[in-house]
Amino acid sequence: MNTHVRTAESQARVKIGHSACPHDCPSTCALDVEILGPNRIGRVHGAKDNSYTAGVICAKVARYAERVHHPDRLLKPLVRAGSKGDGQWKEASWEAALDLVAEKFIAAEERYGSETVWPYFYAGTMGLVQRDGIERLRHAKKYSGYFDSICTNLAWTGYVMGTGSLRGADPREMAKSDCVVIWGTNAVVTQVNVMTHAVRARKERGAKIVAVDVYENATIKQADLGLVLKPGTDGALACAVMHVLFRDNLADRAYLQKYTDDPAGLEAHLATRTPEWASAITGLSVEEIETFARMVGTTKRTFFRLGYGFARQRNGSVNMHAALSIAAVTGCWQYEGGGAFHSNSGILKLATDTLEGSRLRDPNIRHLDQSRIGPILTGRPDALYGGPPVTAMLIQNTNPANVAPEQRLVRRGFLRDDLFTCVHEQFMTDTAKLADVVLPATMFLEHDDIYKGGGNQHVTLGPKLIDPPEGPRTNHYVIEELAKRLGVAEMPGFGLTEREHIDLLLTRHGLTFSSLEAQRWVDLQPDFETAHFLNGFGHADGKFRFRPDWTGTIAPNRPPKSMGIYGPYDRLPEFPDHVDLIEVADEEHPFRLATSPARNFLNSTFTETPSSKEREIRPQLLIHPEDASRLGLGEGERVEIGNARGEVVLHAKLFDGLKRGVVIAEGVWPNSAHERGEGINVLTGSDAPAPYGGAAFHDNKVWVKRAGE
């Protein structure tokens, strides 16, 4: 009994700190963190009083103490002591390590000019101060620009082609819907809060949940109607659905006339896009397509929750635009609990000029494409845009030697003797292993920052809650210290603390670090009429565009003019359609591979935590039993999968929840977890899709065979 009393008393004394999840997930969950001491945390919980998080977070973040207190965290600056990639290091002081980085950057600049230095970063933290401060150093020094294409381009481009703005219906309205369509995102795995609100609608309103994806994943299994189609064919499904809506007089013609650009043209175009036509392309039955069309056509409060996954094809922007167009045909935008949502990133405006050093930017400096790091580092002229080779890099918040496409080119580039690389990291990642200098980084609970929730409507503060171990320093510290050594510390934006930057970011909302700390987050959701575009869509004429201007529309991820328009944009369709811009399976490569997220990883993060590794087991290839039988493959057997870019070995997992000819590799495992030390992104392509670029991670034609044959 005394033990129970002491336990209850100790639990009562646990301090709760408030923060936001920093990882690359649209949910940006508000967190309640158990603080067990000045530098120690316990369990992490979702904030119950946040209307979007609603007390629910994913299990891997709940176990975050595993990462914070991991014995393999980097704690000291390291300088390479042997050949690149051979794992020989010597410890250095922070001062000596930063001096070396500055010395190498200055030497590279003296030889090739400032554009030879390429700061490279992404979303290992979504905190604005720690993530985006690297841009201030870039602009101050006139280093090569950075076109951040790897994640959102294809999806955002397709969405904005229709709406003209990157926003949508309040995602909390899913709970007030009568039909929630979760399209192209495995929400159970990647955005658990989507399921929170969708399941609430099911329990309280009897709402139906529809899931559309390329295999029977956890979300499909929870849906009332699960549609498993072939990768890259979502546009065909969307067109057939709209065909049925027009055919059966389920289209809202009054809404179409008032709010859309060419409904008559769309109807005529769709006359031949029948369910039978789409069935042959998607692998869905005619009955499945008809059932889905009737469901959304007869349910006014239908909410389309459109994800990123189905847009990670070379025709991904077309697929996004086509799926989005269904909501305009039904007119469900008019109703609470209806409409569509992909991202609210367009409403979360903060004053970023000082943080990012925007006024220091020289428009004559070239930009380089994040997704094409392989061609860039191996000297492809078209990737370098006529400029010098990249011979010096600072990398923060990303692991390109593992997550970037066309891995063999990426690795070959990093192994160049004339490339100096400094990596600022929390663990010895695949990229850190190839660096010349590795600097230890803090984690999100160990520094101040602020976060925008693209999947909801909140800007949430993440104040420092615990002290870091001795050694790791913040991203902000590294940028400030390099600025001093590189002679730009007196330029605008430098010399401020994290909290001072946060104060500046919040100016347009009349908030400060202190006031936001008191309220924890601010809700920026627009009013109903604005969110549902009832005052007009974001294009100049206020209309939803069925006929997008694929090369002229301003979009959040449009490449700078100096980079031009990407890919075979002349093949993009006039109206929503299916276009075979994808890697179509052929005789030599009869399978289509998608590299889908794993439940217990987030990109390459959490691959170091014991519980996540234990749950994911090992790199596996999901393959249909009939395909496996034809290839002579049994459960768990070694399987080799490849294409012109390379080949990797995984273990077969027989799974009948996908179409014949489709294979799935879940999760971005470390390269070292694979038999030959090469990961799944050996197989993905770095070519830039039309019209505004991106990375088509789920669009790969491959061959499959027993390993060793």
Side-chain angles (χ1 to χ4, degrees), residues 392-538:
M393 297 183 73
L394 169 64
I395 299 176
Q396 291 184 320
N397 316 322
T398 189
N399 184 14
N402 182 231
V403 305
E406 222 150 339
Q407 279 290 298
R408 286 187 176 170
L409 291 183
V410 177
R411 180 175 174 82
R412 189 191 314 163
F414 275 121
L415 289 174
R416 283 171 32 212
D417 289 333
D418 67 332
L419 174 66
F420 174 83
T421 306
C422 173
V423 173
H424 189 198
E425 253 297 352
Q426 297 163 347
F427 293 94
M428 186 59 74
T429 63
D430 288 314
T431 306
K433 291 175 182 178
L434 301 176
D436 298 281
V437 173
V438 177
L439 304 174
T442 51
M443 293 192 182
F444 79 105
L445 298 171
E446 300 164 350
H447 54 238
D448 292 319
D449 218 327
I450 188 169
Y451 303 87
K452 300 192 298 185
N456 51 72
Q457 54 287 307
H458 293 127
V459 172
T460 306
L461 190 69
K464 179 182 175 182
L465 297 180
I466 60 172
D467 293 327
E470 184 179 352
R473 305 284 175 88
T474 68
N475 290 7
H476 179 71
Y477 172 86
V478 170
I479 298 305
E480 288 289 321
E481 289 299 312
L482 285 177
K484 294 173 186 176
R485 290 163 171 80
L486 295 168
V488 295
E490 301 305 316
M491 288 190 175
F494 294 100
L496 303 176
T497 66
E498 285 102 330
R499 294 190 175 196
E500 288 170 333
H501 274 295
I502 291 170
D503 283 344
L504 291 173
L505 288 165
L506 290 169
T507 51
R508 66 174 59 184
H509 298 292
L511 294 166
T512 64
F513 179 98
S514 297
S515 62
L516 188 57
E517 187 173 30
Q519 67 186 69
R520 298 164 57 191
W521 54 77
V522 57
D523 187 336
L524 299 180
Q525 180 64 41
D527 61 79
F528 178 84
E529 287 75 17
T530 301
H532 286 250
F533 297 104
L534 299 183
N535 298 322
F537 285 88

Side-chain angles (χ1 to χ4, degrees), residues 98-430:
L98 290 168
D99 287 346
L100 177 60
V101 174
E103 174 189 321
K104 293 293 187 178
F105 280 21
I106 291 168
E109 184 176 351
E110 287 175 348
R111 181 174 183 184
Y112 289 109
S114 65
E115 290 180 325
T116 196
V117 183
W118 191 29
Y120 191 98
F121 74 108
Y122 205 55
T125 177
M126 295 292 279
L128 272 67
V129 176
Q130 308 297 343
R131 184 189 67 189
D132 298 337
I134 195 171
E135 293 284 45
R136 187 168 69 258
L137 182 66
R138 180 196 314 280
H139 298 323
K141 287 294 299 175
K142 301 186 187 301
Y143 293 152
S144 279
Y146 189 72
F147 179 47
D148 58 343
S149 60
I150 204 165
C151 180
T152 63
N153 284 43
L154 287 156
W156 285 10
T157 297
Y159 191 90
V160 171
M161 288 293 163
T163 61
S165 298
L166 188 58
R167 53 183 170 86
D170 186 335
R172 294 168 294 194
E173 286 184 33
M174 281 184 283
K176 301 177 180 180
S177 177
D178 295 322
C179 178
V180 180
V181 179
I182 302 170
W183 197 317
T185 182
N186 186 4
V188 170
V189 168
T190 63
Q191 297 183 63
V192 65
N193 313 92
V194 170
M195 298 307 297
T196 299
H197 298 284
V199 170
R200 181 181 169 191
R202 174 193 273 164
K203 289 180 178 179
E204 295 181 0
R205 302 177 58 84
K208 300 298 184 183
I209 298 175
V210 181
V212 183
D213 220 312
V214 296
Y215 70 117
E216 189 178 312
N217 53 37
T219 306
I220 291 274
K221 290 176 181 176
Q222 289 196 23
D224 299 287
L225 175 63
L227 301 175
V228 176
L229 74 175
K230 296 177 182 178
T233 65
D234 303 80
L237 171 60
C239 286
V241 168
M242 291 186 285
H243 170 95
V244 173
L245 296 175
F246 280 113
R247 184 198 69 192
D248 294 353
N249 202 30
L250 296 173
D252 188 330
R253 296 185 183 277
Y255 178 88
L256 286 163
Q257 190 63 38
K258 182 177 180 180
Y259 286 103
T260 70
D261 62 342
D262 189 3
L266 175 68
E267 183 174 8
H269 164 74
L270 294 172
T272 59
R273 273 48 175 184
T274 64
E276 291 76 12
W277 166 84
S279 176
I281 295 169
T282 63
L284 294 168
S285 69
V286 171
E287 182 181 0
E288 286 176 305
I289 297 170
E290 293 273 4
T291 298
F292 179 36
R294 285 194 299 272
M295 186 178 293
V296 300
T298 57
T299 309
K300 293 299 185 184
R301 294 177 186 264
T302 294
F303 194 105
F304 289 86
R305 182 58 177 87
L306 305 172
Y308 286 95
F310 78 110
R312 292 197 171 115
Q313 304 277 335
R314 287 170 179 79
N315 62 359
S317 293
V318 176
N319 293 337
M320 173 62 79
H321 175 255
L324 174 65
S325 294
I326 300 173
V329 174
T330 66
C332 62
W333 284 106
Q334 300 166 91
Y335 308 99
E336 186 178 31
F341 180 85
H342 170 65
S343 173
N344 255 342
S345 294
I347 71 169
L348 305 172
K349 302 295 187 182
L350 298 178
T352 60
D353 286 357
T354 300
L355 173 67
E356 298 180 13
S358 303
R359 295 174 186 173
L360 305 175
R361 187 176 69 84
D362 184 341
N364 297 312
I365 296 296
R366 71 169 175 188
H367 280 74
L368 298 175
D369 188 339
Q370 170 195 19
S371 300
R372 306 202 70 210
I373 183 174
I376 288 166
L377 294 187
T378 52
R380 281 265 299 270
D382 64 317
L384 292 171
Y385 287 90
V390 171
T391 63
M393 297 183 73
L394 169 64
I395 299 176
Q396 291 184 320
N397 316 322
T398 189
N399 184 14
N402 182 231
V403 305
E406 222 150 339
Q407 279 290 298
R408 286 187 176 170
L409 291 183
V410 177
R411 180 175 174 82
R412 189 191 314 163
F414 275 121
L415 289 174
R416 283 171 32 212
D417 289 333
D418 67 332
L419 174 66
F420 174 83
T421 306
C422 173
V423 173
H424 189 198
E425 253 297 352
Q426 297 163 347
F427 293 94
M428 186 59 74
T429 63
D430 288 314

